[in-house]
Amino acid sequence: MVADLERALRFYQGVLGFDVTFTLPPNPDSYSYAVFDIPRAAVMRFCVLSTDTQERVMALTEVKGVEIAPLPHPRRSAIVLEIDDPDGVIAGARALGLTVYGEEVLKTKDGRIGREIGIVDFDDNLIVIYKILGDA
């Protein structure tokens, strides 16, 4: 859920590299009102995102016209993405003024080693990016 679709796309499309598959205009009959418990006074747009290897992997729902309560902390979920160029994503996120957490060493349960970095988008959604570097 995002407050401003164009602003969100500066990160998801411009920095993370998602492609916009399609955008749907506001639909007052959308099931999203009930499923996401969005007040009926809200106006929503829906944008579906894809990658080079996976169609329709993610969607952004823009909600306007009502106040949306901030996400509770501690955070309860994250979008986790494998990224080829974490340094480029980090630089792009910082250039947008987003929060970028310090890098950690990723150790997978099957013994691989990598990098992982948390980023918070404009709407306080947590994205964790990672890159596997090789075997331990």
Side-chain angles (χ1 to χ4, degrees):
M1 193 170 298
V2 300
D4 183 321
L5 185 56
E6 283 73 23
R7 179 182 71 172
L9 286 173
R10 290 198 321 254
F11 176 59
Y12 287 94
Q13 187 177 32
V15 174
L16 291 174
F18 283 99
D19 296 316
V20 174
T21 305
F22 62 87
T23 302
L24 295 176
N27 176 1
D29 297 322
S30 173
Y31 79 98
S32 292
Y33 286 104
V35 172
F36 293 105
D37 198 21
I38 296 170
R40 286 283 176 178
V43 176
M44 292 186 301
R45 284 193 303 160
F46 190 71
C47 178
V48 174
L49 304 174
S50 297
T51 68
D52 292 341
T53 60
Q54 197 167 11
E55 284 289 314
R56 299 174 302 281
V57 69
M58 186 175 152
L60 300 174
T61 302
E62 177 187 69
V63 177
K64 293 209 177 258
V66 297
E67 185 172 336
I68 302 297
L71 294 172
H73 287 223
R75 289 186 174 89
R76 298 176 184 176
S77 63
I79 300 162
V80 180
L81 303 169
E82 185 171 13
I83 299 292
D84 289 334
D85 180 16
D87 293 320
V89 170
I90 291 166
R94 286 188 174 138
L96 291 174
L98 300 177
T99 298
V100 178
Y101 290 99
E103 182 173 323
E104 294 289 329
V105 174
L106 170 65
K107 296 177 185 174
T108 67
K109 68 178 186 174
D110 61 355
R112 295 175 297 152
I113 300 296
R115 304 168 62 187
E116 66 180 340
I117 303 97
I119 301 169
V120 179
D121 75 4
F122 293 109
D123 297 285
D124 203 34
N125 298 301
L126 176 61
I127 297 87
V128 176
I129 63 169
Y130 73 95
K131 179 172 179 73
I132 299 298
L133 302 173
D135 294 328

